[in-house]
Amino acid sequence: MIKIGLIEEAFKLSGRKHLTIVPGIRHENLPYKLEVGSPIVIVNPDGTEINSSIYGVEMVNTKTASKYAPISLPPSITKEHIARGAVICVRKQNT
């Protein structure tokens, strides 16, 4: 698996049913294109793996550049599934 991001915090925004994770995924120097619907694997610090997908990419307007983009997960994934310090990965693909 290839690590593409990390999870420092997971939360729900007001009025939304899905979970947002930050800082999220790297948006530069990725080995291939990621988009809404792309499969991901969340690996918790205890080694448990959660197969999921990118449900959305959050737009953040900040004055400082970030190498990461927050993403949202499908509504079936809850905060209880995700541990702080988890990493976001993709399985290696044949190119």
Side-chain angles (χ1 to χ4, degrees):
M1 283 194 283
I2 301 169
K3 178 183 170 184
I4 60 166
L6 50 105
I7 300 173
E8 291 178 0
E9 191 63 53
F11 54 89
K12 282 190 178 180
L13 295 170
S14 177
R16 296 189 186 180
K17 295 181 180 180
H18 56 268
L19 199 63
T20 298
I21 56 176
V22 294
I25 58 174
R26 291 191 325 254
H27 55 77
E28 54 187 32
N29 300 323
L30 290 175
Y32 40 83
K33 181 180 175 182
L34 293 173
E35 58 193 5
V36 171
S38 292
I40 59 172
V41 180
I42 297 168
V43 182
N44 282 312
D46 68 2
T48 58
E49 295 183 4
I50 302 167
N51 291 301
S52 189
S53 63
I54 297 173
Y55 190 73
V57 179
E58 302 294 332
M59 303 305 288
V60 178
N61 185 10
T62 65
K63 294 185 189 235
T64 43
S66 173
K67 294 180 182 180
Y68 291 88
I71 63 169
S72 54
L73 301 175
S76 60
I77 305 295
T78 66
K79 192 170 182 172
E80 290 73 29
H81 292 115
I82 309 295
R84 178 176 271 171
V87 294
I88 306 163
C89 301
V90 292
R91 299 197 189 279
K92 289 184 181 180
Q93 297 179 345
N94 295 330
T95 54

